[in-house]
């Protein structure tokens, strides 16, 4: 069924066709290190036992799925990835493995992954798509992407033989036996990737693992803190650190994110109970996240709702805003309104320029004369006459000196009578703060601050 015997003789798709077919079955990927006109490869989707198998080959030396790709397509499934031929290195979920013929690895489509071919040789993989929720429900645990088993295991051989023939070989594609065959597939995946029982570890490794947890608890708020820093602090190799977590069905990175998210949830709940308007982005950055969008996605995945709704989950089973329709609905719910957590008003000052696709988070105040760059995510207050850009938005520069900013705020030309604005519109548009101040003084319109 699979094109594994002679790779050089079976390359058949151009780059765009290969990329689009791969995107349909696996999610967004892109290749590096080869020009499109020199690219060859194939992607063959095949229905096997009611599941989808993708026979994939290419001469691209590097294929990558980035964090941006994960965000854009929101793919939510696993792949059991077989290597029928060729050599392929894989970096996934803080694990680095080298796949040879017959090996199998588990890939989580919700995490970035990079594949690199040895010496630029053509390669071939067979990917069995596994629906996440169905697999987790059947196994009773959530397997971790990046796990790897060498060729020759009984479960690996049985699973590969089970999926190598298409449905047509046994009759109609919707055979009643398919549901049982899928369960057999899930059982074999479980046999391959079930984590080791943590209690089987030695007393020494358990003591070390508890110490590692303490190290992570002390350091997770540092955004530069990761598995390398944990291993260095524990005075063990990164490989041994990964082994300790793999034996317990987890990864060091997941543990770090778990601490960060738990702390963020506590701070969000505290923020609501105290009625403060602390920006949620400040909480995210204080818990070790560099990017608010990444924090919000992680938070929603962990708790089932965005950070802003975390404290609101206790308000009741229904979230419908009955009170906005007035009448009996307002009267019957008026006493409940104070319980609704508020992030405060979003305030946009005067003479503010906001670039395209910028996002202003709830509760943020933007000062007069500020500039917000295109695509910025503004999660904290912006001072008057400041330029902010980026995600999260940061101060790029102040537009004027402190004296000129104070002068412009006292002038407050947007409060002038419309006739005076019309008379001096050229000065407002192209003049200096001092020239604008002279106009305001002559008109007796300089405010005291």
């Amino acid at each position: 069924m699979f094109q594994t015997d002679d790779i050089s003789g079976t390359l058949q798709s151009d780059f765009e066709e290969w990329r689009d077919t791969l995107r349909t079955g696996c999610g967004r990927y892109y290749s590096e290190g080869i020009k499109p006109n020199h690219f060859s490869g194939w992607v063959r989707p095949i229905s096997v036992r009611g599941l989808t198998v993708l026979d994939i080959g290419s001469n691209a030396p590097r294929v990558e799925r980035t964090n941006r790709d994960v965000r854009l397509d929101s793919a939510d499934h696993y792949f059991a990835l077989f290597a029928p031929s060729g050599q392929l290195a894989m970096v996934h979920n803080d694990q680095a493995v080298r796949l040879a013929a017959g090996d199998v690895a588990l890939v989580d489509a919700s995490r970035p992954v990079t594949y690199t071919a040895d010496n630029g040789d053509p390669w071939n993989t067979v990917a069995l798509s596994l629906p996440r929720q169905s697999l987790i429900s059947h196994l009773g645990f959530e397997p971790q992407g990046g796990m790897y088993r060498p060729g020759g295991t009984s479960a690996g051989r049985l699973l590969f033989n089970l999926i190598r023939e298409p449905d047509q070989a046994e009759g109609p594609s919707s055979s009643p036996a398919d549901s049982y065959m899928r369960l057999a597939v899930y059982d074999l995946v479980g046999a391959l990737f079930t984590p080791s029982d943590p209690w089987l570890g030695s007393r020494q490794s358990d003591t070390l693992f508890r110490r590692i947890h303490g190290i992570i608890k002390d350091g997770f708020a540092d955004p530069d803190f990761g598995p390398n820093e944990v291993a260095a602090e524990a005075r063990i190799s990164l490989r041994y650190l990964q082994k300790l977590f793999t034996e317990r069905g987890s990864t060091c990175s997941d543990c770090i994110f778990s601490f960060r998210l738990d702390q963020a949830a506590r701070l969000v709940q505290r923020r609501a109970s105290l009625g403060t308007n602390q920006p949620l982005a400040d909480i995210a950055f204080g818990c070790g996240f560099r990017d608010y969008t990444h924090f919000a996605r992680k938070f929603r995945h962990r708790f089932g709702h965005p950070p802003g709704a975390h404290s609101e989950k206790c308000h009741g089973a229904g979230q419908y805003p009955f009170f906005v329709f007035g009448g009996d609905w307002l009267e019957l719910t008026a006493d409940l309104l104070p319980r609704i957590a508020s992030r405060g008003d979003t305030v946009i000052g005067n003479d503010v320029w906001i670039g395209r696709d910028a996002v202003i988070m709830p509760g943020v105040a933007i000062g007069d004369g500020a500039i917000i760059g295109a695509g910025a995510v503004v999660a904290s207050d912006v001072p008057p006459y400041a330029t902010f850009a980026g995600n999260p938005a940061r101060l790029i520069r102040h537009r004027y000196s402190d004296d000129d900013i104070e002068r412009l705020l006292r002038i407050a030309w947007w409060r002038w009578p419309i006739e005076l604005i019309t008379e001096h519109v050229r000065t407002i548009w192209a003049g200096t703060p001092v020239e604008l101040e002279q106009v305001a003084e002559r008109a007796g319109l300089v405010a005291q601050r």
Side-chain angles (χ1 to χ4, degrees):
M1 181 187 74
F2 304 129
Q3 297 189 46
T4 58
D5 297 331
D6 181 10
I7 294 177
S8 63
T10 56
L11 301 174
Q12 58 191 34
S13 299
D14 63 26
F15 172 72
E16 291 185 358
E17 180 185 356
W18 183 88
R19 180 198 61 193
D20 293 344
T21 307
L22 185 66
R23 181 173 295 182
T24 300
C26 295
R28 297 172 63 95
Y29 283 81
Y30 72 93
S31 64
E32 288 184 343
I34 190 168
K35 295 180 179 180
N37 58 333
H38 294 156
F39 176 90
S40 293
W42 73 84
V43 180
R44 296 180 57 217
I46 305 161
S47 178
V48 178
R49 319 302 177 189
L51 296 169
T52 299
V53 174
L54 293 146
D55 182 16
I56 307 167
S58 171
N59 64 346
R62 179 184 173 95
V63 176
E64 184 171 9
R65 176 172 169 81
T66 65
N67 275 305
R68 181 174 182 271
D69 297 322
V70 170
R71 288 196 301 270
L72 288 175
D73 65 25
S74 302
D76 194 27
H77 47 262
Y78 291 99
F79 288 103
L81 188 74
F82 292 89
S85 64
Q87 299 280 331
L88 200 64
M90 181 181 79
V91 178
H92 180 47
N93 223 7
D94 292 330
Q95 305 289 329
V97 300
R98 184 171 296 278
L99 299 174
D103 295 346
V104 58
L106 189 68
V107 178
D108 184 347
S110 68
R111 305 295 297 271
V113 61
T114 301
Y115 304 99
T116 306
D118 285 352
N119 303 318
D121 293 333
W123 50 268
N124 174 219
T125 61
V126 175
L128 169 63
S129 181
L130 301 162
R132 177 183 297 273
Q133 293 305 320
S134 298
L135 181 64
I136 293 174
S137 176
H138 181 80
L139 298 181
F141 67 91
E142 185 170 0
Q144 299 297 314
M147 300 181 73
Y148 152 84
R149 297 293 179 264
T153 62
S154 298
R157 288 198 306 269
L158 286 170
L159 181 58
F160 187 69
N161 288 334
L162 195 62
I163 67 173
R164 65 184 302 133
E165 295 301 332
D167 287 336
Q168 293 89 312
E170 295 186 3
S173 59
S174 59
S175 168
D178 280 348
S179 59
Y180 294 100
M181 297 301 290
R182 280 195 295 271
L183 296 181
V185 168
Y186 294 163
D187 283 336
L188 291 171
V189 171
L192 281 167
F193 301 114
T194 297
S196 302
D197 188 342
W199 297 108
L200 297 179
S202 68
R203 181 176 301 178
Q204 182 179 3
S205 68
D206 288 341
T207 301
L208 175 59
F209 193 73
R210 286 193 294 270
R211 186 162 74 86
I212 289 170
H213 262 252
I215 292 171
I216 294 174
K217 184 177 181 181
D218 292 339
F220 70 84
D222 180 357
D224 294 323
F225 187 77
N228 285 316
E229 288 68 32
V230 176
E233 181 71 18
R235 297 184 178 180
I236 60 176
S237 69
L238 180 60
R239 183 172 182 176
Y240 185 51
L241 176 72
Q242 294 169 341
K243 179 176 182 293
L244 288 172
F245 277 94
T246 300
E247 288 175 347
R248 291 158 175 82
S250 183
T251 67
C252 184
S253 292
D254 282 344
C255 184
I256 295 171
F257 277 120
S258 180
F259 272 101
R260 288 172 176 167
L261 290 169
D262 286 343
Q263 176 68 359
R266 286 191 289 268
L267 293 178
V268 170
Q269 194 67 49
R270 179 175 179 271
R271 168 183 178 272
S273 63
L274 295 178
T276 67
N277 289 326
Q278 179 185 13
L280 291 171
D282 286 356
I283 292 176
F285 303 147
C287 292
F289 288 89
R290 292 185 181 277
D291 179 86
Y292 182 83
T293 303
H294 180 229
F295 162 70
R297 182 173 63 83
K298 285 277 190 182
F299 197 99
R300 181 187 289 273
H301 182 75
R302 171 73 175 273
F303 298 106
H305 50 264
H310 187 65
S311 60
E312 302 169 11
K313 302 305 289 184
C314 60
H315 293 152
Q319 301 296 317
Y320 194 76
F322 294 99
F323 55 87
V324 302
F325 294 96
D328 291 341
W329 284 359
L330 174 60
E331 183 178 347
L332 292 171
T333 60
D335 62 314
L336 301 177
L337 295 183
R339 293 170 54 188
I340 299 178
S342 172
R343 288 171 288 236
D345 292 335
T346 299
V347 180
I348 309 295
N350 302 282
D351 198 17
V352 172
W353 188 91
I354 300 177
R356 180 175 180 177
D357 294 330
V359 176
I360 314 298
M361 302 303 294
V364 168
I366 298 180
D368 297 328
I371 291 177
I372 307 300
V377 177
V378 185
S380 57
D381 292 348
V382 177
Y385 289 94
T387 299
F388 268 50
N391 179 12
R394 298 295 193 203
L395 176 66
I396 304 301
R397 65 182 179 88
H398 293 284
R399 297 180 59 196
Y400 299 99
S401 67
D402 291 344
D403 289 342
D404 279 347
I405 291 174
E406 181 67 22
R407 182 175 286 114
L408 289 166
L409 293 175
R410 286 190 291 107
I411 293 169
W413 67 262
W414 46 85
R415 300 183 187 275
W416 292 358
I418 190 66
E419 296 81 9
L420 188 64
I421 291 176
T422 302
E423 181 180 353
H424 297 283
V425 67
R426 290 182 60 84
T427 304
I428 295 172
W429 185 258
T432 67
V434 172
E435 292 171 340
L436 211 54
E437 183 181 45
Q438 293 171 352
V439 174
E441 287 176 343
R442 288 195 298 269
L445 294 174
V446 178
Q448 299 297 319
R449 290 179 60 84

